[in-house]
């Protein structure tokens, strides 16, 4: 049984990459949707769960042979998709709750 290991990458390089991915993802969403607060996006994308996900996706991309830029793009894309899915789910839940509480005619 073979064991996959992450590529050797110094912690400071990984940390910088994760920070850049989070920053570019926040900036990209803000530029596309200016009503989204940049500071709030940056705060959301630098929470421990997001940082862990970005790092894991980035390292997985490197481990699979992707160049660093492509691994970063894949990690950033996964971050934005996860954020958008969570936001849509939260909105759907709020809408369903509001509909359930609305008086019937």
């Amino acid at each position: 049984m073979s064991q996959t290991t992450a590529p050797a990458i110094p912690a400071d390089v990984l940390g910088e990459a994760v920070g850049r991915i989070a920053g570019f993802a926040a900036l990209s969403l803000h530029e596309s949707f200016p009503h989204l607060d940049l500071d709030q996006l940056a705060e959301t994308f630098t929470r421990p769960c997001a940082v862990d996900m970005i790092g894991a996706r980035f390292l997985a991309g490197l481990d699979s042979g992707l160049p660093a830029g492509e691994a970063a793009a894949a990690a950033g894309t996964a971050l934005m998709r996860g954020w958008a899915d969570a936001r849509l789910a939260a909105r759907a839940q709020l809408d369903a709750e509001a509909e359930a509480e609305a008086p019937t005619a």
Side-chain angles (χ1 to χ4, degrees), residues 9-28:
I9 180 171
D12 60 331
V13 173
L14 177 60
E16 184 176 338
V18 168
R20 285 177 164 259
I21 293 166
F24 283 128
L27 188 58
S28 177

Side-chain angles (χ1 to χ4, degrees), residues 6-7 9 11 13-22 45-63 71-72 74-76 78-79:
I9 180 171
V13 173
L14 177 60
E16 184 176 338
V18 168
R20 285 177 164 259
I21 293 166
F45 291 167
T46 55
R47 289 182 181 153
C49 59
V51 168
D52 290 346
M53 188 280 285
I54 295 167
R57 293 285 180 118
F58 180 65
L59 288 174
L62 293 177
D63 194 41
L79 175 68

Side-chain angles (χ1 to χ4, degrees), residues 79-93:
L79 175 68
M80 288 188 281
R81 284 189 178 138
W83 173 84
D85 289 346
R87 191 170 161 114
L88 289 171
R91 180 77 253 168
Q93 181 178 352

Side-chain angles (χ1 to χ4, degrees), residues 89-102:
R91 180 77 253 168
Q93 181 178 352
L94 287 173
D95 290 346
E97 290 171 3
E99 186 176 315
E101 293 175 3

Side-chain angles (χ1 to χ4, degrees), residues 1-3 6 16-17 19 29-30 33 35-36 47-48 51 61 66-67 70 75 79-81 84 86-87 96-97 104:
M1 181 161 77
S2 69
Q3 186 176 27
E16 184 176 338
L29 280 172
H30 175 70
F33 304 99
H35 66 282
L36 297 175
R47 289 182 181 153
V51 168
L66 291 177
E70 289 181 27
L79 175 68
M80 288 188 281
R81 284 189 178 138
R87 191 170 161 114
E97 290 171 3
T104 56

Side-chain angles (χ1 to χ4, degrees), residues 19 32 41 43 59 80:
S32 296
L41 287 169
E43 189 274 326
L59 288 174
M80 288 188 281

